[in-house]
Amino acid sequence: MRRQHLLLATLAVALGWAGSAGAQTIEGSTAQTALQRSIARSMDAVCATGAANPETAALQNECAGLQALAGANDPALNPLLQQLSTEELAAQEALLRDGQEGQFANIASRLAALRGGASAAGVVQLTPTRVEDALAEQLHDRGGAAGAGDAAAGLFVNGQYARGDHDSSSREDGFDFDAWNITAGIDRRLDENLVVGVALGYGEHEVDFDVTSLVIGGEIEGDSVASSLYGTWYSGDLYVDVIGTYTWIDYDTERLSNTAGGVARFRASPEANSYGGTVQIGYDMSQDALSFSPYLRLDYLDVEIDDFTERGAVGVRLNVDDQDFESFTGALGVRGSMAVSRDWGVLVPTLYGEWEHEFEDDGHTIKARFVGDPTNTTFRAETNDPDENYFVVGGGLSAVLKGGTQLFVEYSILLGHDDIDNQIITGGLRLAF
């Protein structure tokens, strides 16, 4: 009924009711959020101008409808203002984070595997009292093939699936999201203390907006390609992991809005890119088959989203400015594992947990204007400030087969975050050659 009321009200304006509204001001006519006031201010500017072209005439028709609702103190006004805004585009940040962080996570699991028994030019010797020791003993006793440590290089393919939801707020709409990321790479040992590699990743990401009294739906999809350089250096039990990544992403956005002509769909295909890096320092300690590794990690992400113009019905289409934002996080964590010998190889269960802190604790601003606005008045949507402190816990199981081939699966969950619930499953295959 509420949606029907919105459509009837705006349709009545299109048929001539608007003339009775006079110069009624939209901004502040009802209790409005900062986002809604920004849209209302832009509409007030449009209403005061003449129709220069069909796009402007259509926009002024919408403006007249909003003025009529404002004059009647109609509760239908604020949902209409909300639907005209750009707050849905805040979800683009989530997709870019998924693409970059998925690549980071896939490579990080590779580096952890190198220290835990996978192959890359003998890196299994990093912690010889763990998986490699157990595997070498099996191969010697049973006359097996050469161990993973004899390999000159290593190849890995890791995949990740993430799903979760983002709560709504006065600044951002709620949505559900899911993402697939797959990463393939090759690495080689340069000397007894250094391994370097290169990786390429691909991801598919999707956001579906929750339908509420203010939002009538919409979605954002993205395809990402990421390239990375990575390496691990170690001295005794001390290690340093470094990853650098550049990511491209193509979006397809769909925004829905109630208008005088019914529900309108506005689509766009903006492009974005990001670059980032991660540095992790840790210390591997082991006792027989048990291992324990505390670590400190720093992650940096810089994102740029190109400006774009929506496609769709004339009137309330948007020109959206380019966006630029950063993330800089630190993590303090610990990972523990145990090597269990089997006839076919070694089984390694793993548990880990970490506390993460976001140093860039301010949201960013999305600036836009209506295509048909002759005054070019800009309105702004402020994104949420990032949550500063949260936790990630997880566990996994890997199997190191004779000859160095390794399979693994991991599960992790985000805890203590104010706005986001997120669960991730990661799996992969590693080969020696």
Side-chain angles (χ1 to χ4, degrees):
M1 292 296 294
R2 184 177 183 86
R3 185 177 301 175
Q4 292 174 346
H5 177 63
L6 297 180
L7 292 173
L8 288 174
T10 50
L11 182 58
V13 172
L15 295 175
W17 177 28
S20 64
Q24 170 67 47
T25 300
I26 303 171
E27 183 184 5
S29 59
T30 57
Q32 299 165 349
T33 66
L35 174 62
Q36 293 162 0
R37 286 196 303 272
S38 182
I39 295 290
R41 190 178 308 119
S42 180
M43 275 295 187
D44 283 334
V46 172
C47 286
T49 66
N53 54 58
E55 185 95 37
T56 301
L59 181 58
Q60 286 183 326
N61 187 51
E62 298 295 335
C63 180
L66 296 175
Q67 281 186 327
L69 294 174
N73 291 318
D74 196 309
L77 175 63
N78 287 351
L80 287 174
L81 292 173
Q82 184 91 6
Q83 293 162 25
L84 295 175
S85 67
T86 59
E87 83 284 356
E88 295 100 331
L89 299 179
Q92 290 177 302
E93 178 178 349
L95 297 192
L96 265 168
R97 286 180 182 271
D98 280 342
Q100 183 109 352
E101 292 176 0
Q103 181 83 343
F104 279 166
N106 283 336
I107 296 174
S109 65
R110 167 60 174 172
L111 295 176
L114 292 177
R115 295 188 300 276
S119 65
V123 175
V124 288
Q125 298 173 3
L126 280 171
T127 51
T129 58
R130 292 191 283 170
V131 177
E132 173 65 10
D133 200 34
L135 184 58
E137 182 178 354
Q138 283 187 3
L139 296 174
H140 180 269
D141 292 345
R142 298 182 176 92
D150 296 330
L155 173 70
F156 76 93
V157 179
N158 289 351
Q160 182 191 86
Y161 174 70
R163 66 176 302 170
D165 60 81
H166 185 290
D167 295 337
S168 63
S169 70
S170 62
R171 293 184 173 185
E172 297 184 14
D173 294 339
F175 57 83
D176 298 324
F177 64 89
D178 63 272
W180 292 91
N181 289 285
I182 187 169
T183 304
I186 186 170
D187 38 54
R188 185 178 183 86
R189 182 175 183 176
L190 299 185
D191 60 40
E192 62 182 9
N193 299 109
L194 179 64
V195 175
V196 298
V198 61
L200 186 66
Y202 173 77
E204 294 184 355
H205 323 272
E206 183 174 359
V207 162
D208 292 307
F209 291 101
D210 301 336
V211 177
T212 68
S213 60
L214 295 176
V215 182
I216 59 174
E219 65 179 17
I220 300 178
E221 297 179 348
D223 296 328
S224 64
V225 176
S227 59
S228 301
L229 298 175
Y230 63 92
T232 183
W233 173 89
Y234 60 95
S235 179
D237 293 324
L238 178 70
Y239 70 87
V240 179
D241 293 341
V242 178
I243 306 171
T245 295
Y246 190 88
T247 303
W248 301 265
I249 186 166
D250 290 329
Y251 292 111
D252 288 308
T253 68
E254 181 181 70
R255 183 175 62 90
L256 304 184
S257 177
N258 278 310
T259 68
V263 176
R265 298 177 182 270
F266 301 96
R267 296 181 172 89
S269 301
E271 298 180 349
N273 62 83
S274 68
Y275 62 87
T278 182
V279 177
Q280 179 169 307
I281 301 174
Y283 193 84
D284 287 324
M285 297 175 284
S286 59
Q287 179 64 44
D288 297 327
L290 298 175
S291 67
F292 178 79
S293 178
Y295 58 86
L296 171 68
R297 188 181 70 249
L298 296 175
D299 298 319
Y300 176 75
L301 175 66
D302 186 282
V303 174
E304 296 179 357
I305 303 175
D306 293 343
D307 62 297
F308 63 92
T309 299
E310 290 182 323
R311 305 181 301 273
V314 296
V316 290
R317 295 188 303 140
L318 299 179
N319 284 323
V320 181
D321 288 354
D322 56 1
Q323 304 170 56
D324 191 353
F325 54 90
E326 295 177 301
S327 172
F328 181 45
T329 60
L332 186 63
V334 62
R335 175 182 289 265
S337 63
M338 179 176 65
V340 181
S341 296
R342 297 296 185 205
D343 291 340
W344 43 262
V346 180
L347 195 64
V348 187
T350 300
L351 292 174
Y352 66 91
E354 63 183 42
W355 163 68
E356 296 189 15
H357 176 78
E358 174 64 69
F359 296 99
E360 296 284 345
D361 55 0
D362 293 326
H364 70 281
T365 302
I366 304 172
K367 299 179 182 179
R369 62 200 57 81
F370 294 110
V371 174
D373 182 4
T375 69
N376 230 15
T377 301
T378 297
F379 53 88
R380 294 168 172 81
E382 305 287 342
T383 67
N384 290 338
D385 294 337
D387 199 356
E388 293 186 32
N389 297 289
Y390 46 90
F391 301 88
V392 176
V393 297
L397 190 66
S398 62
V400 184
L401 309 179
K402 298 175 183 179
T405 299
Q406 187 174 17
L407 305 170
F408 85 101
V409 62
E410 281 189 359
Y411 169 82
S412 67
I413 186 170
L414 178 67
L415 299 175
H417 200 288
D418 289 341
D419 304 315
I420 300 174
D421 295 318
N422 191 19
Q423 301 179 67
I424 298 174
I425 297 176
T426 304
L429 168 68
R430 297 141 185 162
L431 303 173
F433 60 93

